[in-house]
Amino acid sequence: MTSEKPDIEQNDKVIITNESSIVFNEEKTIELNNRLKNDFMSYCFSFLHEDEEARQCIQIVWNKYLECVGDVAMLSAFFDTLPYHIKTSVLPKYQNEIIQWCEKLFHIHSHALLCSTYYSETFQRVIRYALKPNQYKKAIIYIPMDFDPNLKIDLTSSLSNIKFEHISNKTSHEDMIDINRFEELIKRDINDSVAYPFMIIANAGSALLGRCDELKEIKQICERYNIWLHVIGDLLGSLALLSAIKDNVNISCDSLTMDIMKLFGIQNLPYLTFFLRSTTDINETDEQNSLQRSSHPLDDFILHSPSVSFLSVWSISQRCSNENIFYHMKQSFDLANLLLTRLKQIKTIHIINDEDNQETYTYQRICSGDAPNDVLPKSLVIFRFQSDNIAELENIDNLTGYLDLLNLWLFDKLSHQHPKINLELLKSVHFQISKPNEPIQNQIAAHALRFAPLEHLLDVIDENDMQLFLDDIQRFSDILIATMTARANLASTVSKYSNLLSIPIQNWAGIGAVRYIPSNINSTNIDDISNYEINIIQSELARQLQTNDSAFSLSGGGTDEKDSLLYLRLGMIRKREDLDILLQKISNVGKEAESSIKYAEDMAEKIKAGIEKAEKDLQDENLQLLAQDGLLRQLPIVSNLMSWWSPAPSASATATKGRSFDLNSGRIESTEDTYVYRMQIRRQSHHAPTHNDTTSDNSDNIINSTDQKTNE
């Protein structure tokens, strides 16, 4: 007995020592992790020292993430290392806490909750959970026309026993479900031998246009035919912003998926899927009848998924107040509403997702029970420049395409001036609008601008930024109106100028194009020489005009003869009266350039004729010298003997003299006076042109000749 006691004490000491070492190691590990994290962030921030705004934005996002979520990676790593049977005991407690928190926050009464990292993963879980057992037919999932095609391909490749059916809408918007058409499809497919109606996916704030389906009516149809209703959209979380709401109010659906990363403005959060249809709990009791737990078909999926998904949501529920969570959501809805209200005051802006002419969208549209009559908020605003107040619009070819070019120009200007607004361009290949007062069948492809603050995490847009943004929209809209008016009147205004022609061009957002025709050329009969002269003067016009005004640019090229010529493109103008100013400037500069080019061509002809005359005179003088000196003096050896026996005179009257061409007088003269007086004498002729009156001093003064003596 006595001999065992020291061993026990020694073992206790060993255990105590090991525990203390474990604690020490944990503290050291945490300290090391913090140091590594700080070193990494400091090194990343070192590259942002010149961009202070980007540094502040990143700091805001990081601080918000730490404040709301914290470092859940360590908790997730710890949970993932636990044995599976321990996980199954731990998970229900935190799942229930998250469900209760979401119920108080969003006023959504659900029986189960799923946290998913990937969007397609969410739909796979919902479909597999809702599939009917012992069913060998393919399950039909009804979707709106704007459903993501990539997501559809991903789901059909992962689940072989489903197929999708688009619900076309010929009476309303394409991204909304036509209820009558939906019921027709159900009646058609209910007796199908290879497929059966299974699920419909509806919108409560569609991703592109933010529209809402009539969920209450769709839910009634689904209950009648036992079809699962799944809802997605950015407006599902807006119930949290209502000050008072009754307990029997709930979203009209069987399940819904919410992107809380958009709603909260916090990165790295999962998608939340709520199951509102009641599920069956399996209660198990242990041998001692003291522990009771509930299992759920989704728990197994959660336990085999990265635990960071549900732990990040649980961390938010423990750390943040509702005010902090609602801030990003409320501010985004307020900004969208502010822009929507102010844009209505600009007559040239057409708001595409404005539902004033339709039934007012309230929470009664998407909620069951005693839903409030409050108007659903706007998660985004889609607008487009469009003006029908110009009388001469029929003069503009392809008006729809030209308006698209103007909206593209407006998007480029606004994006450059206001990068914080995060504008998006909806291109015509993916977006269509209905013509005013016409049915949806007459939809046309169009460009539009999209403002969606809910999709951007940084809270950097304030009311002052929005006011500056609206001021620029008004300013740029005035420019576009002036440009449209000038384009419509271009042909009639150009006809007032005899030397100008209006050139129709495509894919140009400016006024249009004009071509200057020299006065000596007939515009109806243009040959190759005329083409060359026209292109020369267009190039000279562009060079001179672009030095002081960026509204001009040179372009050309085409398939036919006229399009192969160059022309001047006219850009945007601020006032309607600026068109006459631009055309007058082109006409005046064109006449000056035409005169200068004509003078240069005349001078070139004179120089060419002078060279020919000088060559002929020199040739004649050489022949005369040959006749005076005789043939013997031209022979190589005999000429030396002749020069020794009878030297030639030093200054012969028949000596060859050079020729010079005076640009001022336009005359060919002998260089005899130059060698006699050692200088060039300037002579002015009354026939000389006056274009060089303002030439440089080097051509106005006498040029001294060289004073070198020739070697004797």
Side-chain angles (χ1 to χ4, degrees), residues 538-553:
Q538 308 308 315
S539 301
E540 182 64 20
L541 271 173
R543 185 187 66 81
Q544 295 187 28
L545 293 172
Q546 285 176 346
T547 56
N548 298 321
D549 196 340
S550 60
F552 304 97
S553 59

Side-chain angles (χ1 to χ4, degrees), residues 339-354:
L339 180 63
L340 186 67
T341 305
R342 300 286 181 84
L343 285 180
K344 292 179 181 179
Q345 302 173 5
I346 304 177
K347 297 180 180 179
T348 56
I349 296 297
H350 173 57
I351 303 173
I352 296 175
N353 64 332
D354 185 15

Side-chain angles (χ1 to χ4, degrees), residues 420-639:
K420 290 182 180 180
I421 302 298
N422 294 303
L423 273 185
E424 298 177 56
L425 178 67
L426 298 181
K427 294 186 177 180
S428 57
V429 293
H430 302 296
F431 177 70
Q432 293 181 340
I433 61 173
S434 299
K435 295 181 179 179
N437 303 323
E438 291 191 12
I440 194 173
Q441 291 86 344
N442 297 331
Q443 283 185 335
I444 55 175
H447 287 347
L449 281 66
R450 182 174 182 266
F451 172 67
L454 197 65
E455 299 177 4
H456 303 281
L457 305 181
L458 300 182
D459 303 326
V460 295
I461 305 175
D462 54 22
E463 190 170 352
N464 184 39
D465 295 329
M466 187 60 66
Q467 185 59 48
L468 294 176
F469 177 66
L470 289 163
D471 292 342
D472 278 346
I473 291 179
Q474 180 65 66
R475 180 166 62 90
F476 292 142
S477 296
D478 294 340
I479 293 175
L480 296 180
I481 285 293
T483 303
M484 281 187 68
T485 306
R487 187 180 182 103
N489 299 324
L490 179 62
S492 60
T493 308
V494 167
S495 62
K496 301 176 183 178
Y497 298 87
S498 58
N499 294 96
L500 298 182
L501 286 179
S502 176
I503 307 299
I505 57 174
Q506 302 294 328
N507 301 323
W508 179 248
I511 299 174
V514 295
R515 179 179 293 133
Y516 183 88
I517 304 297
S519 56
N520 62 330
I521 295 178
N522 186 3
S523 59
T524 60
N525 186 15
I526 299 178
D527 53 11
D528 293 339
I529 298 177
S530 300
N531 287 348
Y532 176 76
E533 294 181 3
I534 292 175
N535 287 340
I536 287 295
I537 199 168
Q538 308 308 315
S539 301
E540 182 64 20
L541 271 173
R543 185 187 66 81
Q544 295 187 28
L545 293 172
Q546 285 176 346
T547 56
N548 298 321
D549 196 340
S550 60
F552 304 97
S553 59
L554 184 66
S555 184
T559 55
D560 55 18
E561 183 179 358
K562 288 187 178 180
D563 287 340
S564 64
L565 297 176
L566 299 178
Y567 51 79
L568 291 174
R569 293 185 301 185
L570 307 181
M572 301 291 180
I573 57 176
R574 298 182 181 275
K575 300 178 182 178
R576 303 184 182 186
E577 298 79 13
D578 291 346
L579 177 60
D580 286 324
I581 297 175
L582 293 180
L583 296 179
Q584 186 64 47
K585 184 182 293 187
I586 293 174
S587 179
N588 294 339
V589 177
K591 291 178 181 178
E592 294 177 1
E594 183 181 354
S595 178
S596 299
I597 292 174
K598 184 177 181 181
Y599 168 71
E601 291 176 350
D602 292 343
M603 185 60 65
E605 291 295 330
K606 289 183 179 181
I607 292 175
K608 181 179 179 182
I611 293 174
E612 293 176 353
K613 185 176 183 302
E615 289 178 348
K616 186 176 183 304
D617 290 345
L618 292 175
Q619 185 178 6
D620 292 341
E621 288 186 5
N622 288 331
L623 292 176
Q624 185 180 1
L625 179 62
L626 178 63
Q628 293 291 335
D629 293 342
L631 181 62
L632 293 178
R633 286 189 179 272
Q634 309 304 321
L635 298 177
I637 299 176
V638 177
S639 63

Side-chain angles (χ1 to χ4, degrees), residues 643-665:
S643 297
W644 174 77
W645 180 262
S646 176
S650 58
S652 175
T654 59
T656 303
K657 303 175 182 63
R659 296 293 185 272
S660 65
F661 179 72
D662 193 335
L663 294 176
N664 290 311
S665 62

